Amino acid sequence: KAGVTQTPRYLIKTRGQQVTLSCSPISGHRSVSWYQQTPGQGLQFLFEYFSETQRNKGNFPGRFSGRQFSNSRSEMNVSTLELGDSALYLCASSLAGAGDGQPQHFGDGTRLSIL
Amino acid sequence: QQQVKQSPQSLIVQKGGISIINCAYENTAFDYFPWYQQFPGKGPALLIAIRPDVSEKKEGRFTISFNKSAKQFSLHIMDSQPGDSATYFCAASKVGYAGGTSYGKLTFGQGTILTVHP
């Protein structure tokens, strides 16, 4: 069974631009969560989608948005990029969610660098 | 406000030794506590998880100990091996239920870099 696939693996952007990251979950998984990982702040939850609906949201500004398609694939968009947005963005999928007995499977992330 | 505090930041043990990583949480509503292992260039991978209704869970060389009254939980790696060298994260979430499914957002600790010397 293929794992969680994130594309692209690496991305370089400049301040003010916008970016879209993609995540294909494990086949059959309906929940997709996004996390930001930085050396200073660690792993922080961005949002979770289930059946095309955002079900949970972290404490990030509105510049960070996402969506989920009918095939459970998800995209994350960051507008008006700032230097502080440089991070590893991780996508995780699970059958139903990050709860009881529902392990989340992480992809290897997209490394976003802002110049 | 950091809700899950993890220690130590780094840990060096000899092959065959016991590695112990500790976490403390503040939110008493948390009811799911997983541990993740991350290798360089890879995403985190679930190692083991526990619910607060048990005080200990063991899977192979990995054991979680949970102290609900102290709001603390720890990961013990027995017979540590060089292949265990990685970054370990504890996490916690409050499980919600909707539409017949469970959900929750993970709050992670800051991570522990474990190095096991041969």
Side-chain angles (χ1 to χ4, degrees), chain B:
Chain B
Q1 180 187 10
Q2 185 182 10
Q3 295 190 25
V4 180
K5 294 184 179 180
Q6 184 173 343
S7 63
Q9 281 188 303
S10 61
L11 180 62
I12 299 174
V13 301
Q14 293 297 124
K15 179 181 175 181
I18 302 174
S19 303
I20 301 175
I21 304 171
N22 301 298
C23 282
Y25 62 97
E26 299 168 7
N27 188 346
T28 55
F30 286 150
D31 55 4
Y32 176 66
F33 304 89
W35 283 89
Y36 283 83
Q37 177 190 58
Q38 186 177 28
F39 292 104
K42 296 292 186 180
L46 179 66
L47 262 181
I48 186 172
I50 198 169
R51 293 299 302 274
D53 51 349
V54 297
S55 59
E56 186 175 283
K57 182 175 181 180
K58 183 177 180 180
E59 290 184 2
R61 296 185 294 111
F62 301 94
T63 300
I64 297 179
S65 296
F66 185 82
N67 186 329
K68 187 175 181 178
S69 61
K71 292 187 289 184
Q72 295 176 347
F73 58 110
S74 60
L75 175 69
H76 295 232
I77 305 175
M78 311 299 288
D79 186 26
S80 298
Q81 300 296 314
D84 296 332
S85 296
T87 301
Y88 292 80
F89 294 94
C90 62
S93 75
K94 168 73 181 80
V95 179
Y97 296 91
T101 68
S102 63
Y103 67 93
K105 59 180 181 181
L106 292 172
T107 298
F108 284 88
Q110 286 297 96
T112 295
I113 300 172
L114 172 65
T115 303
V116 181
H117 285 159

Side-chain angles (χ1 to χ4, degrees), chain A residues 6-11 21 33-46 60 64 76 78 83-92 106-114, chain B residues 38-44 89:
Chain A
Q6 292 189 246
T7 56
R9 288 297 311 277
Y10 304 93
L11 206 49
L21 312 181
S33 297
W34 289 88
Y35 294 84
Q36 181 195 64
Q37 185 173 25
T38 60
Q41 298 299 316
L43 278 153
Q44 293 185 288
F45 173 81
L46 280 155
F60 278 82
F64 293 81
M76 184 191 121
V78 188
L83 292 177
D85 296 334
S86 294
L88 179 68
Y89 289 90
L90 292 160
C91 167
F106 282 81
D108 291 335
T110 293
R111 173 73 63 184
L112 175 63
S113 298
I114 311 302
Chain B
Q38 186 177 28
F39 292 104
K42 296 292 186 180
F89 294 94

Side-chain angles (χ1 to χ4, degrees), chain A:
Chain A
K1 204 176 209 184
V4 177
T5 303
Q6 292 189 246
T7 56
R9 288 297 311 277
Y10 304 93
L11 206 49
I12 299 175
K13 292 287 186 180
T14 57
R15 282 183 299 171
Q17 288 186 309
Q18 74 168 21
V19 67
T20 300
L21 312 181
S22 180
C23 172
S24 293
I26 292 173
S27 178
H29 285 190
R30 296 165 64 190
S31 167
V32 173
S33 297
W34 289 88
Y35 294 84
Q36 181 195 64
Q37 185 173 25
T38 60
Q41 298 299 316
L43 278 153
Q44 293 185 288
F45 173 81
L46 280 155
F47 30 65
E48 184 217 0
Y49 285 86
F50 181 82
S51 293
E52 302 178 64
T53 300
Q54 187 181 88
R55 190 162 67 167
N56 231 329
K57 191 176 187 304
N59 297 322
F60 278 82
R63 299 185 296 107
F64 293 81
S65 63
R67 60 177 176 169
Q68 187 180 34
F69 302 95
S70 57
N71 62 357
S72 293
R73 191 178 71 84
S74 178
E75 287 182 348
M76 184 191 121
N77 184 275
V78 188
S79 63
T80 318
L81 287 165
E82 300 177 0
L83 292 177
D85 296 334
S86 294
L88 179 68
Y89 289 90
L90 292 160
C91 167
S93 77
S94 62
L95 282 171
D100 176 23
Q102 300 289 346
Q104 287 199 308
H105 300 267
F106 282 81
D108 291 335
T110 293
R111 173 73 63 184
L112 175 63
S113 298
I114 311 302
L115 303 180

